[in-house]
Amino acid sequence: MDNLPKKPDRRLSVAPMMEWTDRHQRVFMRGLTKQTLLYTEMVVAPAIIFSKDGPGRFLDYNQDIEHPIALQLGGSDPKQLSECCKIASNWNYDEINLNCGCPSDRVSAGRFGACLMAEPDVVADCIKAMQDATDIPITVKHRIGIDDLDSYELLAGFVDRVAQTGCETFIIHARKAWLKGLSPKQNREVPPLRHDIVHMIKKDFPHLEIILNGGIQTVEEAASHLDKVDGVMIGRATYETPYIMANADQLIFGNENKEVITRQEALERFLPYVEEQVANDVYVRHMAKHLFGLFQSQRGAKAWRRYLSEHMFQPGVGAEVISEAAKLIE
C-alpha cells in the first residue's frame, strides 16, 4: 500500500450515477477535464465479493487515464465492506465512498443507500471497518434528511457520529429523500434544494471537508459556492450538457496554461478510444450514449442526436457512426 495515491483534490467532482458514470463516460470526461475527481457507478458489496467473473468486472478501469477516481460502494455490512476495501486496495483508487444517499426502493430493501441515515451507528461501524481495511481515504455521501427525519439537529447528529470514526469528508446532496411515495427520479427533483443547509454544516463543522451536491448546473455555479464549502459535485448536468466541464481545470483548479478544448477537439480525443473498444468487441452504443449532449445548444445538435440514436444500435457499426453524425454539426 506504499504506492497508494494521495488524498484527491475535491474542489470539483462528477457525481456517481447509475448507468451513466461507467468507464466509457469517465474516459470521455477526461478529454474535457484532467483534474476533476470522477466516480464509478455505485457497486454493491456482494457483487464484488461473490462475482463469478471476479472483482475486476466491477473494479477495472483505465489507470493511465481515469485518475483521480473514486469507487462508490453500497452496503451496510461492515465485514462485507471491509472485504471490498481490501480487494479494492489492489486497484489503486484515490478514494472509496459509502453511499448513504440513493433513495431507490431496491436500494432501501437491501438496507443501504439513503435509508442508512436513520442508523448513524451502523454507518459509523461501516466507515470504521472500511478505514481499518485500507489506507485509501474513506468518505460518505448522504442526503440532508429522509422522510420525516429531516431536522437540522438530526443531520448534524449524523455528521457528528460518523465523524467520530475519523471520517473527514462528507458529500451532502442538498435535498432530503422521500423513501416512501417518490421515485428515484422524483427524489432528484421534487424535494426542494437547500444549499443553505450544507453551508450551515460547513460552518458548524469547520474541521471537516464538506462537499455540496445537488442541482449545480455549471462550473461557474460550482465556483460560486467555494467560499462556503470545500468542494462541489455536479451530477446530471455532466451528461445532459457535458461540455460545461471544458473550463473546469482553468476555473476551479487554476490551470492557466491550458486552453479550453472545443467540442470537436473533445470528440476527436475520444474517437481513438471508441475505435479501440469496438476492436475489443464493445458495442459502439455504449460509448455513443455519453455523447448525446456534447453539442447541446449548437446548430445541428438535433440532427446529431437523431443520427446517433438511429444508427448506433445497428449491427457491426463502429466509430464511423460518431464521425458521420459530427458532420451534421454546422
Side-chain angles (χ1 to χ4, degrees):
M1 296 186 184
D2 292 339
N3 296 321
L4 286 173
K6 298 178 181 179
K7 176 182 175 180
D9 186 333
R10 299 188 181 91
R11 280 178 287 177
L12 186 66
S13 54
V14 173
M17 294 174 283
M18 295 300 293
E19 299 183 0
W20 285 105
T21 51
D22 59 22
R23 58 194 175 96
H24 309 306
Q25 186 265 0
R26 297 192 301 266
V27 170
F28 175 51
M29 276 289 115
R30 277 291 167 252
L32 294 167
T33 170
K34 300 298 184 187
Q35 293 170 266
T36 300
L37 177 61
L38 304 180
Y39 279 74
T40 68
E41 301 172 87
M42 181 186 67
V43 185
V44 295
I48 293 174
I49 297 169
F50 302 115
S51 173
K52 294 179 180 179
D53 300 322
R57 174 185 174 188
F58 300 98
L59 298 177
D60 283 347
Y61 65 97
N62 191 320
Q63 297 198 30
D64 294 328
I65 297 176
E66 296 182 46
H67 285 291
I69 179 172
L71 167 68
Q72 187 181 66
L73 295 177
S76 60
D77 184 323
K79 291 182 179 179
Q80 286 189 347
L81 289 166
S82 173
E83 186 173 350
C84 284
C85 288
K86 290 177 182 177
I87 295 170
S89 293
N90 295 320
W91 269 261
N92 203 32
Y93 281 95
D94 298 281
E95 170 190 319
I96 299 177
N97 175 264
L98 180 63
N99 183 322
C100 295
C102 182
S104 79
D105 294 338
R106 181 170 57 87
V107 167
S108 296
R111 199 166 170 253
F112 56 92
C115 65
L116 286 176
M117 288 197 68
E119 302 182 81
D121 288 337
V122 171
V123 175
D125 288 344
C126 290
I127 293 293
K128 187 64 171 64
M130 295 167 73
Q131 292 170 332
D132 290 344
T134 182
D135 291 332
I136 298 174
I138 304 298
T139 68
V140 60
K141 186 175 188 293
H142 58 92
R143 296 277 184 141
I144 58 173
I146 55 170
D147 298 331
D148 294 324
L149 303 175
D150 61 353
S151 70
Y152 182 80
E153 290 72 23
L154 286 173
L155 172 61
F158 176 87
V159 171
D160 182 63
R161 176 67 186 93
V162 176
Q164 291 173 23
T165 67
C167 181
E168 298 177 343
T169 303
F170 292 75
I171 302 153
I172 307 177
H173 188 149
R175 282 188 174 97
K176 65 179 289 184
W178 281 106
L179 302 183
K180 300 176 182 178
L182 292 184
S183 69
K185 182 178 186 296
Q186 290 171 322
N187 264 302
R188 294 191 297 266
E189 300 170 351
V190 175
L193 275 170
R194 293 295 307 273
H195 291 162
D196 59 309
I197 296 293
V198 183
H199 296 161
M200 196 180 306
I201 287 290
K202 177 58 188 178
K203 185 176 180 180
D204 290 343
F205 296 88
H207 59 292
L208 298 178
E209 184 178 34
I210 304 299
I211 311 300
L212 171 69
N213 174 225
I216 306 298
Q217 297 298 310
T218 66
V219 172
E220 289 78 7
E221 183 183 356
S224 72
H225 288 274
L226 291 179
D227 61 338
K228 300 181 182 70
V229 291
D230 299 294
V232 178
M233 176 178 277
I234 305 180
R236 284 174 291 160
T238 63
Y239 70 79
E240 293 172 347
T241 52
Y243 190 67
I244 63 168
M245 301 301 293
N247 66 342
D249 293 353
Q250 292 81 0
L251 187 59
I252 302 295
F253 301 101
N255 190 340
E256 299 177 356
N257 296 323
K258 180 189 173 187
E259 294 184 4
V260 176
I261 192 173
T262 68
R263 289 175 171 85
Q264 291 287 357
E265 287 170 342
L267 189 61
E268 289 169 6
R269 285 186 182 182
F270 191 53
L271 283 175
Y273 172 82
V274 176
E275 293 169 352
E276 175 187 280
Q277 293 297 304
V278 171
N280 289 322
D281 298 324
V282 178
Y283 292 120
V284 72
R285 63 177 179 267
H286 295 315
M287 285 78 74
K289 76 173 188 176
H290 298 300
L291 303 175
F292 274 73
L294 177 60
F295 295 101
Q296 184 73 20
S297 77
Q298 303 296 296
R299 294 186 64 179
K302 186 175 180 180
W304 152 265
R305 293 192 299 269
R306 183 173 61 246
Y307 190 94
L308 285 180
S309 63
E310 290 176 352
H311 293 83
M312 69 183 194
F313 292 99
Q314 295 178 1
V317 296
E320 72 280 353
V321 167
I322 299 172
S323 298
E324 288 300 315
K327 293 178 182 178
L328 300 173
I329 300 297
E330 299 179 23

